[in-house]
Amino acid sequence: MVLGKQIEWAMHCASFLASLPEDMAVSVNVLAEYHEVPRDYLAKALQSLAKAGIVKTTVGPRGGYTIGRAAEEITLLDIVESVEGEKSTFSCTEIRQKGPCKMEEKAYSGVCGIAAAMYRADHAWRESLRSTTLADINRSVNRVVPAEQKRKVMAWLEGKLSSKS
Amino acid sequence: MVLGKQIEWAMHCASFLASLPEDMAVSVNVLAEYHEVPRDYLAKALQSLAKAGIVKTTVGPRGGYTIGRAAEEITLLDIVESVEGEKSTFSCTEIRQKGPCKMEEKAYSGVCGIAAAMYRADHAWRESLRSTTLADINRSVNRVVPAEQKRKVMAWLEGKLSSKS
DNA sequence: GAGCTTCTACTCGGATACGCCCTGTCCGAGTCCGGCAGG
DNA sequence: CCTGCCGGACTCGGACAGGGCGTATCCGAGTAGAAGCTC
């Protein structure tokens, strides 16, 4: 019951892309170097994001990833579900219908009480993630990161892009 | 990000034990047969519950598992954490402190905004689980299971116990 | 010098190995109840 | 009939295979931009 590191990477990358001018494409190479993570594996997470429309891709030289829509319209739940899938954290195998004391099948019309409680908890988790957008994240980040650091990052980024032309 | 089936088994077993007279011990064999699940693997889940005090064990013939404390005092979170461990669903590896643009270490005093949001969601999930007790589960089960079925189960159980003596 | 062609370099995306953890199983150690023998 | 001993059964806990998924990597398909050639 632990989320993989792809989730963390995807969120940081999405947050990063959302903080850039939207005509500024960043390649997997640069994103991987910036976050110091394995390039090809990070690419897989970004592919999931692209499939969900959270990021857009442009191929060819000077290409790369850009944010897919407004940061206010991207929730953390979108990112989690695009990378991790949408299956619930709990799956009911209906063991109440198993064993020597089971009743006839039609007697089990309602949802199992245990499963219902687990689904409620799963729903609470998802609602919490849905209530936070990338815009919220970036606002909180902006409050603690000094402007000088942002300039430094932009300079590094543009150095990376120009060196490739 | 999916809970194992041990969680489901543990919850059904705990709910079942809580619905019995508290001097009635049920062995792993009977619990496994009743739920139609692998005996030895189920035993591991019950051992986890026993370690957490959720169920009590009595060894020897006519021994087995009994509920460890009042059903009102056992939450679903207790069961999940005893079986699955207490580690958070999200682990922050602080990748914001990695890469060529990192700042000096003391600049990262606050919690990463992304991790904070994930911890909030994790907390919401746990709070939802904490708010439901085994007593709640059994009340809802009692509303849909006919009394005749309960008698049938008790008769089957006592047949199992007597056949062993 | 302008426009077209070619060519390179860069991008994404899917397909392919490795390793860990969940799943499932087995066995030995310890313990308590029930039966049996002896007084 | 009472007491002590013994065997059986039950549980616990650790140790041991198999499979699925997260992790990590590679290579091919496609495209945009740059370079070069021709007019």
Side-chain angles (χ1 to χ4, degrees):
Chain A
M1 185 59 180
V2 179
L3 288 167
K5 39 183 94 166
Q6 286 206 46
I7 293 286
E8 185 182 9
W9 300 349
M11 286 190 175
H12 276 275
C13 285
S15 160
F16 184 66
L17 290 173
S19 72
L20 297 178
E22 62 176 295
D23 61 344
M24 195 170 188
V26 184
S27 73
V28 183
N29 279 316
V30 174
L31 283 171
E33 182 180 355
Y34 179 76
H35 291 107
E36 202 170 292
V37 297
R39 175 194 172 277
D40 288 323
Y41 192 33
L42 174 64
K44 256 185 107 211
L46 290 168
Q47 283 167 29
S48 300
L49 293 181
K51 204 170 292 181
I54 295 170
V55 298
K56 275 188 282 202
T57 68
T58 55
V59 296
R62 317 281 294 185
Y65 288 96
T66 54
I67 198 69
R69 56 179 187 264
E72 287 83 7
E73 303 297 323
I74 300 176
T75 71
L76 297 191
L77 181 62
D78 294 330
I79 298 176
V80 168
E81 290 189 334
S82 70
V83 174
E84 198 81 8
E86 298 188 10
K87 57 184 181 301
S88 168
T89 55
F90 181 81
S91 66
C92 176
T93 62
E94 288 288 340
I95 64 176
R96 61 177 180 161
Q97 298 189 32
K98 302 280 180 62
C101 295
K102 61 187 168 198
M103 307 183 282
E104 59 273 25
E105 194 174 337
K106 64 183 172 61
Y108 296 102
S109 57
V111 175
C112 167
I114 290 174
M118 296 305 288
Y119 292 151
R120 275 198 301 277
D122 181 79
H123 186 70
W125 180 67
R126 288 187 143 76
E127 279 307 308
S128 176
L129 290 177
R130 196 199 309 279
S131 70
T132 305
T133 68
L134 275 188
D136 300 325
I137 295 290
N138 283 347
R139 266 193 294 274
S140 72
V141 168
N142 278 332
R143 274 198 293 275
V144 296
V145 173
E148 206 267 325
Q149 169 69 7
K150 294 178 209 165
R151 280 194 298 274
K152 190 170 146 192
V153 171
M154 284 303 288
W156 177 84
L157 247 187
E158 297 188 352
K160 276 289 161 186
L161 297 179
S162 66
S163 75
K164 276 185 259 171
S165 65
Chain B
M1 185 59 182
V2 178
L3 289 167
K5 39 184 90 167
Q6 287 207 43
I7 293 288
E8 186 183 7
W9 301 349
M11 286 190 175
H12 277 275
C13 287
S15 160
F16 183 67
L17 290 174
S19 72
L20 297 178
E22 62 177 294
D23 60 345
M24 193 170 187
V26 183
S27 72
V28 184
N29 280 317
V30 174
L31 284 171
E33 182 180 353
Y34 179 77
H35 292 107
E36 204 169 292
V37 297
R39 175 193 173 277
D40 288 325
Y41 193 32
L42 173 64
K44 286 191 93 64
L46 290 169
Q47 282 167 28
S48 300
L49 292 181
K51 203 171 293 181
I54 296 170
V55 297
K56 275 188 281 205
T57 69
T58 56
V59 297
R62 317 280 294 186
Y65 288 94
T66 53
I67 198 66
R69 56 179 186 264
E72 287 82 8
E73 302 298 322
I74 299 176
T75 71
L76 297 191
L77 182 62
D78 294 330
I79 298 176
V80 168
E81 289 188 335
S82 70
V83 173
E84 197 80 9
E86 298 189 10
K87 58 183 181 299
S88 169
T89 56
F90 181 81
S91 66
C92 178
T93 61
E94 288 288 339
I95 65 175
R96 61 178 180 160
Q97 296 190 32
K98 302 279 180 62
C101 294
K102 62 186 167 198
M103 306 184 281
E104 60 273 25
E105 193 173 338
K106 65 182 173 58
Y108 295 102
S109 55
V111 175
C112 169
I114 289 174
M118 297 303 290
Y119 293 150
R120 276 198 301 276
D122 181 79
H123 187 70
W125 180 68
R126 288 186 143 77
E127 280 306 308
S128 176
L129 290 176
R130 196 199 311 278
S131 70
T132 304
T133 69
L134 275 190
D136 299 326
I137 296 290
N138 283 347
R139 266 193 294 274
S140 72
V141 169
N142 279 332
R143 273 197 294 272
V144 296
V145 173
E148 206 269 323
Q149 169 70 6
K150 294 179 210 166
R151 279 193 299 273
K152 190 172 147 193
V153 171
M154 284 305 288
W156 176 84
L157 247 186
E158 297 187 355
K160 277 288 161 184
L161 296 180
S162 66
S163 75
K164 273 185 266 174
S165 67

